[in-house]
Amino acid sequence: MQKIDEKRLISKALAAMENAYAPYSNFPVGACALTSDGEEIMGCNIENASYGLSMCAERVALFKAHSEGKKDIVALAVAAKVDEPVSPCGACRQVILELAPKATVYLSNKDGSKVKKMTPEELLPYGFTL
Ligand code: THU
């Protein structure tokens, strides 16, 4: 079993957050997915003037990873500028369950001082599958 450097992964998510494009919500989010090979794939939320086209940080990271053939995701860190650990939206929970089912998910606050560690199944019990 691969040792996950939780603090490093969270600091990568916090760094990714700095690239967020969130002029409408002013709610930047960062994420970092870790593969079984030790690769780190970062993502941030990217909004659009046509609001519904906006994409969350978690999905950017997971879609980037999968589109590059990096499919064995062992961990995913998510961070936002909030006092308590960020809570992923329902859509991201559904995508995490499917694309990173074995991942340990680390949910961080604004500086990594408060972190929740969860499984995809805990984030989305009885999630939809085909
Ligand atoms: N957001 C994420 O990036 N991840 C989440 O899990 C929750 C919401 C983004 C979407 C939007 O750009 C902003 O946060 C406010 O909803």
Side-chain angles (χ1 to χ4, degrees), residues 25 27 29 45 47 56-58 87-89 92:
S25 70
F27 191 80
V29 183
N45 54 331
E47 298 183 349
C56 294
E58 299 92 316
S87 175
C89 78
C92 286

Side-chain angles (χ1 to χ4, degrees), residues 1-49:
M1 194 61 174
Q2 186 181 351
K3 174 93 181 69
I4 296 165
D5 187 341
E6 166 183 338
K7 282 199 185 330
R8 178 186 164 85
L9 207 61
I10 290 165
S11 71
K12 288 266 175 180
L14 285 163
M17 185 175 73
E18 297 306 318
N19 290 329
Y21 175 68
Y24 305 106
S25 70
N26 286 313
F27 191 80
V29 183
C32 185
L34 176 70
T35 69
S36 53
D37 297 337
E39 281 197 70
E40 295 161 325
I41 300 109
M42 292 151 85
C44 59
N45 54 331
I46 301 173
E47 298 183 349
N48 192 272

